[in-house]
Amino acid sequence: MEDYYFGNPNYSNPNCAHSFVTMATPTSDFMLSDYLLLDDDVIMIDNHHQHQDQESWSQSTESSSLAAASSNVNHEFGGATTSSHNNNMQLLDFVDRKCKNNVSKRNKQVEARQRVVFRTRSELEVMDDGFKWRKYGKKSVKNSPNPRNYYKCSSVGCGVKKRVERDAEDRSYVLTSYDGVHNHQSPSSNSYYTTSPFSIFHSNDINWSLHAPAVNSSSSNS
DNA sequence: CGAGTTTGACCAGCGC
DNA sequence: GCGCTGGTCAAACTCG
């Protein structure tokens, strides 16, 4: 099986090299195993749910949009997520509990903006995805003991935003949501990234990594 | 000194 | 209309 990484392996912080995670198997701390298309513009990714039966999956995908999402999973992830059918069953529950309750009013106003939500198991709240982010807000949210951090892409003219918060139910997981699509290449030296956050799923021949951010190290103190 | 973070204030949507 | 909530702004602050 190929190794799949999140982030650019060539864009690492020597001070944080210890946190570099390789995803060779579904048992890695950071595992890309699920994502879901919600209402045409929201994708959720869950990285730990793995054990559901096929029957419940079929039941839970009666919705056409969700069924479409499941097909996308297999298509987009290819060999990296051969078991994604099973994984996404839990993801549907996850979406019901998390996404549908948490989609912000503000986000509802943002039409045609793509939104990707990652649920990753990591001690690090900020994951380097190759883009440069500037923190512009921090907010305590209801029903969660953990604050939510707001980031904007630092690139001029790029309006992509992301929110990062600890999972209220399991603090070992981090929820990272991306709003919008980058209109530029990744500033990282080796531009494996394309303009869309979804592009990570199209890189069958590219290694992706999860590691500590190369910049904004002070943000981890917040 | 510039870039990034912190944090309180402000705004807008929603439910009652 | 009012209060609650999530999201954003911007001045002050920190750090390299």
Side-chain angles (χ1 to χ4, degrees):
Chain A
M1 180 178 177
E2 271 184 287
D3 287 357
Y4 286 81
Y5 301 83
F6 243 44
N8 189 333
N10 296 320
Y11 184 58
S12 59
N13 181 352
N15 297 325
C16 303
H18 63 279
S19 63
F20 199 93
V21 175
T22 298
M23 298 188 300
T25 71
T27 57
S28 300
D29 281 348
F30 183 87
M31 181 181 67
L32 183 61
S33 63
D34 297 291
Y35 83 100
L36 180 64
L37 187 62
L38 300 175
D39 298 329
D40 296 332
D41 62 355
V42 177
I43 287 179
M44 283 208 67
I45 297 174
D46 192 1
N47 72 356
H48 84 299
H49 299 301
Q50 299 175 53
H51 306 294
Q52 285 283 330
D53 57 88
Q54 184 63 45
E55 182 180 2
S56 61
W57 162 254
S58 300
Q59 292 171 352
S60 62
T61 53
E62 290 176 355
S63 159
S64 59
S65 62
L66 296 181
S70 70
S71 64
N72 285 343
V73 168
N74 291 330
H75 173 69
E76 301 286 352
F77 281 93
T81 56
T82 53
S83 62
S84 57
H85 258 142
N86 291 338
N87 297 339
N88 276 289
M89 291 178 290
Q90 275 280 4
L91 181 57
L92 298 179
D93 292 336
F94 177 75
V95 170
D96 284 339
R97 287 185 290 108
K98 301 283 188 178
C99 242
K100 291 181 179 179
N101 290 334
N102 288 350
V103 169
S104 69
K105 300 151 191 170
R106 205 56 79 88
N107 282 335
K108 287 177 181 178
Q109 304 171 27
V110 181
E111 294 182 2
R113 292 202 74 175
Q114 293 176 314
R115 182 176 173 197
V116 190
V117 181
F118 294 85
R119 187 172 186 264
T120 60
R121 185 170 190 166
S122 173
E123 293 183 5
L124 297 170
E125 291 193 9
V126 180
M127 300 167 201
D128 178 20
D129 49 16
F131 292 93
K132 193 175 183 180
W133 300 94
R134 186 175 64 83
K135 189 175 185 177
Y136 68 91
K138 181 181 181 180
K139 189 83 172 181
S140 294
V141 295
K142 191 181 178 183
N143 298 326
S144 175
N146 311 309
R148 177 180 296 168
N149 296 297
Y150 299 89
Y151 298 87
K152 284 180 180 177
C153 181
S154 293
S155 178
V156 177
C158 181
V160 177
K161 299 173 186 177
K162 76 172 181 181
R163 301 181 304 184
V164 179
E165 65 180 303
R166 287 272 169 202
D167 191 331
E169 297 178 6
D170 187 344
R171 298 191 61 176
S172 64
Y173 289 87
V174 177
L175 299 176
T176 305
S177 60
Y178 294 86
D179 289 320
V181 178
H182 292 282
N183 59 5
H184 59 93
Q185 293 288 326
S186 166
S188 60
S189 57
N190 195 339
S191 296
Y192 284 146
Y193 304 84
T194 63
T195 57
S196 167
F198 305 147
S199 63
I200 58 176
F201 307 136
H202 294 278
S203 306
N204 293 330
D205 56 346
I206 291 171
N207 286 338
W208 299 93
S209 63
L210 167 68
H211 53 84
V215 294
N216 303 339
S217 58
S218 60
S219 64
S220 61
N221 299 328
S222 58

